[in-house]
């Protein structure tokens, strides 16, 4: 698990739940449901980072999953 601060969220024009989420300067492809998210921009979070292609045959990019707010 990694830890970082959510800096920006850019919603895509694709399917519901697809976003670009910038965490501590790294732009990640993400898939999360705003209604179930426990964090907001500016929060410190933990998450799993990995690389995967968005579509078959493409170059792997930075992705993140299981984004959760760090409780203080």
């Amino acid at each position: 698990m990694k830890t970082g601060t959510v800096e920006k969220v850019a919603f895509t024009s694709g399917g519901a739940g697809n976003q670009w989420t910038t965490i501590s300067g790294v732009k990640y492809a993400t898939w999360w449901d705003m209604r179930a998210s426990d964090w907001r921009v500016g929060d410190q979070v933990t998450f799993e980072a990995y690389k995967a292609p968005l579509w078959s045959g493409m170059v792997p990019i930075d992705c993140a999953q299981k984004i959760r707010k760090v409780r203080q």
Side-chain angles (χ1 to χ4, degrees):
M1 292 292 256
K2 294 183 84 170
T3 302
T5 301
V6 178
E7 298 173 344
K8 181 180 179 181
V9 173
F11 295 95
T12 68
S13 58
N18 301 333
Q19 309 83 17
W20 293 101
T21 305
T22 303
I23 303 173
S24 295
V26 179
K27 183 178 174 181
Y28 295 96
T30 54
W31 297 265
W32 47 265
D33 184 339
M34 177 185 275
R35 298 167 295 177
S37 172
D38 69 345
W39 54 268
R40 300 286 180 253
V41 171
D43 287 341
Q44 187 176 21
V45 295
T46 60
F47 61 100
E48 291 181 8
Y50 63 98
K51 288 196 178 275
L54 287 181
W55 294 278
S56 179
M58 292 186 69
V59 174
I61 63 166
D62 290 318
C63 300
Q65 64 184 8
K66 299 182 181 175
I67 305 169
R68 299 287 180 258
K69 183 175 181 176
V70 172
R71 301 293 176 204
Q72 304 198 15

